[in-house]
Amino acid sequence: ELEVMTPAGRFTLQPAPGLYAAVVGGSGITPVLSIAATLLAREPSARFCLIRSDRTTASTMFLEEVADLKDRYPQRFQLVTVLSREEQQAGLPSGRLGRERLTELLPALLPVAQVTGWFLCGPYGLVQGAERALRGLGVDRTRVHQEIFHVAEGAGTEPVAAAPAHSTVTVRLDGRGGTWPVQEGETLLETVLRNRPDAPYACKGGVCGTCRAFLVAGEVRMDRNFALEPEETQAGYVLACQSHPATEAVELDFDR
Ligand code: FES
């Protein structure tokens, strides 16, 4: 018998009419395949353009499932594949999909300004390159959703500030509270997990956003953040798995 969390995360799409597009790399296809399949099945007037980057055909995940979508919705599903380490007989030349290439490629593939929602998913470099390309093409940030896989250690890490010698974290989680001392060097999530094993987390790497909590009082320093949007951090949310206390007392609310 397993106790599991409900699905979490905000890399989702409520099916609605319109044109949607995704730029994915490697295993970044995983959530996007479901998003595209659900959209096309539920919303007869929606269209989806999938731009995927993989090393070779042999290493491409969900090759058949994506080909099935193409067969089922030939008018509404557009598939563009770029292989970085193999030439294709037909289609685009091989190479990496970076900002410059996407800046040229995207306007040639689809009417960029008409895309209702963009879904970027894959390794940090690809997602960051795609995001910059879209920004350069004038796409509003609110239309761009991203989920990052595999962040290299050290990427996005902020300089370490001096931490207070003794600090405590007070937590509200599922309606119950507690206050515990934070041990030297540990993240607030680690402190919480020692006392409340039911605290939410998944990646512990600052990319999934599952450990999001509202900072009620005190200050924290985050090692890195690839999950929260600027509006969320401005509103006071932090990633517990990346947070270290910057004041002697910190209070987090996981229920908000
Ligand atoms: S557990 Fe994934 S961002 Fe903290």
Side-chain angles (χ1 to χ4, degrees):
E1 192 171 316
L2 295 177
E3 198 173 323
V4 296
M5 287 169 57
T6 52
R10 278 145 291 139
F11 192 71
T12 55
L13 168 63
Q14 276 304 330
L19 169 61
Y20 297 85
V23 180
V24 309
S27 55
I29 184 64
T30 318
V32 171
L33 177 61
S34 313
I35 287 172
T38 307
L39 174 78
L40 294 167
R42 299 239 182 106
E43 188 52 66
S45 60
R47 288 175 297 140
F48 200 96
C49 174
L50 171 64
I51 299 146
R52 67 181 305 185
S53 162
D54 288 281
R55 287 188 185 155
T56 60
T57 309
S59 72
T60 301
M61 291 172 71
F62 296 118
L63 201 58
E64 282 178 24
E65 288 81 352
V66 171
D68 281 350
L69 279 186
K70 187 89 199 88
D71 290 343
R72 202 175 315 164
Y73 308 104
Q75 307 299 333
R76 299 197 287 129
F77 181 65
Q78 182 184 7
L79 171 64
V80 179
T81 304
V82 178
L83 298 175
S84 60
R85 301 210 185 144
E86 182 182 309
E87 285 299 344
Q88 304 180 85
Q89 285 171 343
L92 294 169
S94 70
R96 248 175 44 81
L97 264 192
R99 179 176 66 84
E100 282 176 20
R101 194 155 183 216
L102 284 166
T103 302
E104 275 180 28
L105 188 62
L106 294 176
L109 290 174
L110 75 175
V112 170
Q114 289 170 29
V115 176
T116 313
W118 291 88
F119 292 82
L120 316 178
C121 191
Y124 178 60
L126 175 114
V127 170
Q128 199 191 35
E131 204 240 320
R132 288 186 180 158
L134 291 175
R135 213 180 320 143
L137 292 166
V139 174
D140 196 272
R141 203 175 51 73
T142 55
R143 294 184 180 221
V144 181
H145 312 271
Q146 32 180 289
E147 184 157 283
I148 293 167
F149 290 178
H150 322 300
V151 181
E153 272 309 314
T157 303
E158 289 171 17
V160 177
H166 303 286
S167 38
T168 58
V169 60
T170 300
V171 161
R172 185 167 186 80
L173 170 62
D174 275 340
R176 287 192 292 130
T179 299
W180 308 292
V182 183
Q183 289 177 6
E184 199 186 333
E186 71 181 0
T187 64
L188 294 181
L189 178 69
E190 286 166 334
T191 313
V192 177
L193 282 174
R194 257 191 295 111
N195 300 281
R196 287 287 301 271
D198 56 328
Y201 73 93
C203 72
K204 285 190 179 172
V207 296
C208 73
T210 312
C211 65
R212 187 181 95 142
F214 184 75
L215 182 64
V216 181
E219 285 174 32
V220 302
R221 170 185 61 77
M222 275 203 277
D223 286 331
R224 56 190 196 175
N225 166 30
F226 299 109
L228 298 178
E229 300 289 343
E231 300 85 64
E232 295 176 283
T233 49
Q234 275 155 24
Y237 287 96
V238 297
L239 297 173
C241 77
Q242 298 300 307
S243 293
H244 302 271
T247 50
E248 287 192 354
V250 171
E251 192 175 337
L252 294 181
D253 186 345
F254 285 88
D255 295 344
R256 274 217 225 171

